[in-house]
């Protein structure tokens, strides 16, 4: 296999994804196959020899799902990066797994089409990785997540057999929905080598509005109120005060003082967008907004969304952090955000909290000092407390980042005994020798 | 089990669903449990004694999926018919499986909400049956199929354990997407006892336009053309000449003579609907429409959709028929419809063809004389030829009706050897004793 290396220096660069608090083992080799046949060759060998295989995209994941395992072959799909077809009539695109999300998104946009899933990592993450983790993003609130766009997959199974599953047609119920089962399975059931996604017609450029609130709870209440009007925002994001402070410290955007919660929304309904934003402004003011800014053109819209765009990089400057990813019913958002603030106080770690409010999907960022064992311990405790809070509010421990290594224990709590047992049965049906990303998502027996 | 009967007269009324060409066995008993605990009791007993169990909703299916099997317990969910909750803030509804689709649809409409999946059977079929078959309908072209709305399921497993899977939140990636796997599995992996579906805000009442064409091919070409403009019709249906003739024979709606293809579209975008319909009229005329009628109000809209509504009942009067359900890429629709006409001529059986053109999902109705063995044989041959044609055009053998007994052989053709093997592994993981609707969808080894 000339696409395989055992050079320790090279291997070292492929050991980690971007998760905090996750260890990585020492792999035996890195395979960078150029096609499905080479992927199958790796799997056949690994199956025969019972060697663990860790599939990898761009390693931008946040849960350790792509982290190396001792003695494993790292199977990077980065060289399989071709857009195979964009079907402008049937509105589908067929790609190899290593295609970068933004490359696909721009290629289809050039043809007047739209691939909505837009994880924060979209400029660097791959479609294969997006499918393996069922990535979300800012557009989800209106357009859905990655799995809503997956039509057909080619998957190399644990023993090297090649499965095509799903279909290119708009509808189809011939057999079990295995394409969905592979989507979000984090490389534990098979290795995805080709993907056909659905596309939509391009939308209009969005307009933006921003509302400022004196309490985080008031901002969250407005989220439910606004969605209840029947409007479907193409983006509806929340930032709490610590997030706003981090952004302001990074770049002064002229946010007002004493803001405890910010909502940012967009509408991409073209001529109807100003009406959507006016309705948002009305609901926000009725809900106690201290100020509402509504963009009247694209340039202003870009300016208003800037604060949310900068949140990630601004928070990176706060130091090491654990990004959490809890999703709760929209109606429980205020309780969640207030609960996170209480957890932050209780454990003595900053936890700026922002996220996709329209979906109830929040990203509390637990900031800690990695040099201080007590701070690390308190950070971990806060992280756990946040997931417990999410479950208590009827939510899930992960809205879009996945389980990987980071949340295996919490997954068992969420699934319960029967759920865990069924997950193990499914895992064993696809991976009887336990070689596919073992120890990720589902623990072995 | 006092909810169980062995009265042969009662059993006889539960042996068949509405599929043609499908036999049914003699069941040993009918169970009509009132709650999840009673369903679990049936399954535990069946598992222990290795008795086949056939779950049933309203038995409106068209593929024999609910037909009795010799010696089986028929497990009807019809008594579990309560709407448990409509959550107006989070836009979800939680129901027992026996709730009739139209009952739910009207209940949520009363609260300004919308449950889009609308199979032709929606006035009589159950949500449980809709989920078990992943039912489609006329709205799918814009809003998606049943599986796009399933959030959380309670499922009784083969051995009687009760699994909750999925979640009520808008997003979530904690573990495998088992809710999707159960959806469309036709009772072969578990028995669904509770369902939480997503709802949408109510839409505006639709407006309708109808276009008439001198050839079926021209009508089909306009489907792709219109969708390519980026408009998203809330309904886009096709009827060929034999369908139009059947409708006209049933009720004279004043359709013009020498029509070979009809397209019917709707837009529910309120103030923007007239603009959508004007765009449709323009594309239709450019594509050779001989006439286009555009409703200017709701009453006219109702009148124009009447023809499509009557197609089912009009075709029932033609005699026994096998309803096929092929879905092809939109761009291949003209070839498909022309191919069906050729198959009709070749085999000497009428095959009126109509369906959800916007999705490429067509329902050719093979009409035959059940008293004439040669006609039956020719009908079956035409039915098979239509599925072969669908596969040849990159389509699937079933867009929304399911596999059941009717299409087991064809499913194996569509899935291929590896696909069949993987289906069997999944089936065995969930149903190791082969008691859940055995012989449906996937054959045993």
């Amino acid at each position: 296999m000339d696409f395989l290396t055992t050079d320790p220096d090279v291997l070292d660069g492929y050991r980690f994804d971007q998760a905090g608090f996750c260890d990585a083992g020492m792999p035996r080799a890195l395979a960078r196959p150029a096609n499905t046949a080479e992927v199958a060759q790796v799997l056949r060998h690994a199956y025969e020899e019972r060697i663990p295989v860790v599939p990898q995209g761009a390693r931008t994941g946040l849960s350790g799902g792509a982290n190396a395992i001792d003695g494993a072959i790292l199977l990077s799909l980065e060289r399989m990066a071709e857009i195979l077809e964009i079907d402008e009539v049937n509105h589908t695109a067929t790609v190899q797994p290593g295609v970068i999300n933004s490359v696909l998104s721009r290629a289809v946009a050039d043809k007047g089409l739209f691939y909505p899933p837009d994880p924060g990592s979209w400029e660097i993450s791959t479609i294969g990785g997006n499918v393996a983790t069922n990535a979300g993003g800012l557009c989800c609130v209106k357009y859905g997540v990655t799995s809503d766009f997956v039509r057909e997959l080619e998957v190399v199974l644990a023993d090297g057999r090649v499965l095509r599953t799903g279909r290119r047609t708009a509808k189809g119920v011939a057999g079990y929905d295995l394409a969905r089962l592979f989507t979000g399975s984090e490389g534990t059931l098979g290795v995805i080598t080709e993907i056909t996604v659905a596309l939509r017609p391009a939308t209009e450029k969005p307009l933006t509005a921003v509302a400022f609130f004196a309490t985080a709870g008031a901002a969250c209440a407005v989220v439910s109120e606004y969605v209840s009007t029947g409007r479907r925002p193409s983006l509806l994001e929340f930032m709490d005060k610590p997030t706003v402070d981090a952004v302001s410290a990074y770049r002064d955007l002229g946010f007002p003082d004493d803001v405890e919660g910010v909502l940012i929304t967009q509408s991409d309904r073209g001529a109807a967008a100003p009406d959507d934003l006016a309705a948002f402004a009305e609901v926000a003011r009725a809900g106690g907004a201290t100020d509402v800014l509504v963009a009247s053109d694209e340039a202003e819209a870009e300016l208003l969304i800037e604060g949310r765009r900068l949140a990630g990089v601004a928070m990176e400057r706060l130091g090491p952090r654990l990004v959490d990813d809890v999703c709760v019913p929209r109606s429980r958002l205020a309780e969640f955000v207030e609960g996170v603030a209480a957890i932050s106080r209780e454990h003595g770690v900053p936890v700026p909290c922002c996220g996709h409010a329209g979906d109830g999907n929040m990203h509390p960022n637990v900031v800690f000092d990695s040099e201080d064992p007590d701070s690390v311990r308190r950070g971990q405790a806060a992280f756990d407390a946040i997931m417990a809070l999410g479950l208590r509010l009827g939510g899930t421990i992960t809205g879009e980042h996945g389980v990987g290594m980071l949340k295996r224990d919490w997954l068992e709590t969420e699934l319960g005994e029967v759920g865990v047992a069924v997950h193990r049965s499914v895992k064993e049906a696809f991976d009887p020798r336990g070689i596919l990303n073992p120890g990720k998502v589902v623990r072995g027996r």
Side-chain angles (χ1 to χ4, degrees), chain A:
Chain A
M1 300 193 218
D2 57 357
F3 51 84
L4 196 133
T5 177
T6 54
D7 179 336
D9 290 342
V10 177
L11 294 189
D12 211 49
Y14 284 79
R15 285 179 62 217
F16 287 93
D17 65 18
Q18 293 184 9
F21 271 83
C22 288
D23 212 355
M26 288 308 303
R28 75 171 65 199
L30 167 70
R32 295 170 68 248
N35 53 53
T36 300
E38 290 181 355
V39 174
Q41 195 183 340
V42 173
L43 268 298
R44 273 195 307 271
H45 173 72
Y47 186 78
E48 203 64 44
E49 305 293 332
R50 297 179 184 261
I51 300 168
V53 173
V54 179
Q56 297 185 329
R59 291 174 291 106
T60 58
L62 293 167
S63 66
N67 277 16
I69 295 166
D70 276 333
I73 299 173
L74 304 179
L75 180 56
S76 170
L77 284 309
E78 64 193 344
R79 282 177 63 209
M80 294 177 65
E82 207 179 318
I83 296 177
L84 301 172
E85 186 189 10
I86 295 173
D87 183 334
E88 295 180 61
V89 179
N90 296 303
H91 293 180
T92 60
T94 301
V95 303
Q96 292 186 315
V99 170
I100 301 294
N101 180 309
S102 61
V103 170
L104 174 64
S105 295
R106 292 194 177 109
V108 306
D110 285 346
K111 297 178 185 296
L113 295 168
F114 176 33
Y115 178 65
D118 61 343
S121 60
W122 77 295
E123 292 277 11
I124 47 173
S125 64
T126 64
I127 299 295
N130 294 171
V131 173
T133 56
N134 192 10
L138 283 73
C139 284
C140 302
V141 65
K142 182 166 181 179
Y143 296 107
V145 296
T146 300
S147 63
D148 294 311
F149 294 86
V150 171
R151 288 257 178 105
E152 187 176 45
L153 296 179
E154 181 187 80
V155 180
V156 180
L157 301 172
D159 59 6
R161 283 176 302 164
V162 179
L163 172 71
R164 290 198 81 91
T165 190
R167 56 199 59 79
R168 295 197 183 195
T169 51
K171 293 161 70 179
V173 292
Y176 303 143
D177 195 345
L178 301 183
R180 277 285 176 143
L181 187 62
F182 286 110
T183 303
S185 67
E186 304 187 32
T188 65
L189 301 179
V191 179
I192 297 165
T193 48
E194 191 186 297
I195 301 145
T196 296
V197 293
L199 306 172
R200 293 176 59 106
T203 58
E204 307 279 336
K205 291 268 182 208
L207 287 186
T208 312
V210 179
F212 301 95
F213 297 85
T215 68
C220 292
V222 163
V223 171
S224 278
E225 275 299 313
Y226 180 53
V227 174
S228 290
T229 64
R231 308 267 170 177
R232 292 177 60 85
S234 58
L235 176 150
L236 182 50
E237 297 285 313
F238 167 82
M239 300 196 293
D240 71 353
K241 181 171 177 54
T243 306
V244 169
D245 288 347
V247 170
S248 296
Y250 180 74
R251 188 177 299 168
D252 184 5
L253 295 170
F255 282 133
D257 291 338
D258 62 32
V259 164
E260 291 285 336
V262 177
L263 289 182
I264 305 166
T265 191
Q266 291 193 323
S267 169
D268 60 2
R269 294 205 305 137
D275 188 53
D276 288 342
L277 298 191
F280 171 76
E282 194 182 318
V283 172
R285 286 198 188 96
T290 52
D291 200 5
V292 186
L293 306 175
V294 178
S296 53
D297 60 35
E298 254 181 62
E300 266 184 49
E302 279 297 304
L303 206 65
L304 290 182
I305 194 74
E306 185 75 359
R308 176 65 184 91
R309 289 243 175 82
L310 293 176
V313 55
M315 284 204 264
E316 260 173 37
R317 293 177 35 143
L318 299 178
R321 65 206 166 107
L322 256 177
V323 185
D324 213 331
D325 171 44
V326 167
C327 191
V328 296
R330 231 173 5 241
S331 60
R332 314 301 294 271
L333 206 50
E335 286 164 86
F336 180 74
V337 170
E338 286 161 2
V340 167
I343 289 167
S344 168
R345 287 191 299 272
E346 187 188 336
H347 294 275
V349 284
V351 189
C353 182
C354 61
H356 317 307
D359 285 322
N361 185 195
M362 286 288 115
H363 296 313
N365 281 248
V366 179
V367 181
F368 57 93
D369 176 355
S370 54
E371 306 296 310
D372 171 3
D374 185 58
S375 170
V376 172
R377 192 192 52 70
R378 284 181 283 119
Q380 181 69 57
F383 189 71
D384 287 342
I386 288 166
M387 281 185 283
L389 171 67
L391 290 179
R392 215 158 52 232
L393 296 174
T396 174
I397 57 159
T398 175
E400 58 181 13
H401 291 171
V403 175
M405 300 168 68
L406 188 64
K407 296 188 171 182
R408 284 177 306 188
D409 292 336
W410 282 100
L411 180 70
E412 294 186 6
T413 305
E414 177 165 340
L415 296 182
E417 197 185 325
V418 177
V420 169
V422 173
H423 271 69
R424 286 200 181 128
S425 302
V426 171
K427 167 72 172 169
E428 280 171 18
F430 283 87
D431 183 21
R433 295 191 177 178
I435 62 165
L436 290 171
N437 217 1
K440 312 291 176 68
V441 186
V442 184
R443 286 174 208 278
R445 283 180 207 276

